[in-house]
Amino acid sequence: MRTDPECLFCRIVAGELPATKIDEDERTLTFLDINPATRGHALVVPKAHAADLLAVGDDDLAACARTAKRIAARQRERLGALGVNLINSSGAAAWQTVFHFHVHVIPRYDGDPLRLPWAPSPADMDEIARTGAELAR
């Protein structure tokens, strides 16, 4: 398994640093965020080191998605969450601060303090069409 001795999350996976672990399987570890957006905010990480979304292997990515779904259901059932946000930040420009792929599983409650920075607004439809053409196969 790939590890990075300087990586905070690799050190948590290895048991070298403490964490409040809430789930573990062959490929993933889930622990509570120490700077939570809301009560029960969890991080799902692959046990193998991968810096970000573009580096994580397909099997580890799929395992993280399955685990995130399982944790989200647990947050709704046990914590009374009314909804759940799944967030991944890939790269510094996207606010990634720990460079080990991870998914934030953030339970949402009425009146919780989390405000996401994106405020949807209509875009230029010609620009959307041009961008779509660039991204299409």
Side-chain angles (χ1 to χ4, degrees):
M1 179 170 50
R2 296 176 312 282
T3 63
D4 177 346
E6 301 300 316
C7 173
L8 178 71
F9 291 170
C10 284
R11 294 183 67 202
I12 289 171
V13 168
E16 297 171 5
L17 291 175
T20 302
K21 299 174 185 178
I22 61 170
D23 193 87
E24 185 171 6
D25 62 27
E26 180 180 307
R27 289 188 172 271
T28 68
L29 177 67
T30 305
F31 49 92
L32 294 183
D33 194 313
I34 61 170
N35 297 300
T38 65
R39 180 174 177 261
H41 177 170
L43 301 174
V44 178
V45 304
K47 289 182 176 179
H49 182 78
D52 59 27
L53 177 62
L54 300 179
V56 69
D58 291 345
D59 291 341
D60 283 340
L61 180 61
C64 286
R66 285 190 301 272
T67 299
K69 182 179 179 180
R70 182 170 63 246
I71 297 304
R74 198 179 301 167
Q75 290 167 331
R76 288 187 82 149
E77 293 165 7
R78 298 183 188 175
L79 300 181
L82 301 173
V84 176
N85 285 116
L86 295 183
I87 299 175
N88 168 258
S89 299
S90 184
W95 306 318
Q96 184 178 6
T97 58
V98 177
F99 289 86
H100 182 121
F101 175 81
H102 56 287
V103 178
H104 294 261
V105 187
I106 305 172
R108 301 305 304 266
Y109 310 95
D110 277 340
D112 74 36
L114 179 60
R115 298 295 172 258
L116 297 176
W118 174 44
S121 62
D124 179 295
M125 293 309 291
D126 291 335
E127 177 59 25
I128 290 173
R130 284 190 299 274
T131 302
E134 287 181 57
L135 292 173
R137 289 184 181 238

